Amino acid sequence: DGGITQSPKYLFRKEGQNVTLSCEQNLNHDAMYWYRQDPGQGLRLIYYSQIVNDFQKGDIAEGYSVSREKKESFPLTVTSAQKNPTAFYLCASSNGGAGGHNEQFFGPGTRLTVL
Amino acid sequence: SQKIEQNSEALNIQEGKTATLTCNYTNYSPAYLQWYRQDPGRGPVFLLLIRENEKEKRKERLKVTFDTTLKQSLFHITASQPADSATYLCALETGANNLFFGTGTRLTVIP
């Protein structure tokens, strides 16, 4: 089955701890994205990567970090510097504009709760 | 500042009627506009894409229009069914290949 997976589905963290969210895709997509979704707000872009070993900050990158060592994987670390980390986190991938558009395929999401 | 507005947070409609959702934007010049469906607790799923030089796009019971003069897209679901109940998101794609999402409209189709 081709697709994009995120783990875990639910994650609890104590204040002051870093936590890493996993995102894997087997769609052979070049581009991958991390979004955050809060109630009543649209998806906001945290980081994106158009190619392996390269990534750029999105609109709300502060307190987050990423790596892109493999095409299939784009893990997101929520650091203790993120002031309000409780949210629903969504990972997505796409062909990155090949063919002229950027339909994105989303994972099932990880709900992070900071206790 | 750049802004994407979807007409209302929630829309209730009777089964069998046509649902019309609105997406308005300011200070963008999108090359493409996309619509996604999101069910509670799940990731969005792509539905339709329309290019700036297209006026209308259809897929089964779905129809999207795109008016770059009015800076507006309309999303229609004809013969709506309870299974169409979900949140629908519009997203604009600029030349940088990133998507900017609206806040979504939660549609409820009442049997």
Side-chain angles (χ1 to χ4, degrees), chain A residues 9 33 35 37 40-43 45 48 50 59 88 90 96-97 100-104 106-108, chain B residues 9 32 34 36 38 41-46 49 51 89 93 96-104:
Chain A
K9 190 165 176 62
Y33 309 82
Y35 295 91
Q37 189 174 35
Q41 297 198 39
L43 277 68
L45 184 64
Y48 64 100
Q50 301 283 12
D59 300 319
F88 188 48
L90 287 159
H101 68 85
N102 190 22
E103 169 193 344
Q104 293 190 6
F106 283 84
Chain B
E9 268 194 38
Y32 306 94
Q34 302 184 19
Y36 288 77
Q38 186 176 24
R42 305 185 75 167
V45 175
F46 172 79
L49 173 147
R51 293 174 171 78
L89 307 169
E93 181 182 351
N97 289 333
N98 286 340
L99 292 181
F100 297 91
F101 284 85
T103 53

Side-chain angles (χ1 to χ4, degrees), chain B residues 25-38:
Chain B
Y25 59 93
T26 55
N27 296 329
Y28 283 104
S29 295
Y32 306 94
L33 190 145
Q34 302 184 19
W35 283 89
Y36 288 77
R37 169 185 172 137
Q38 186 176 24

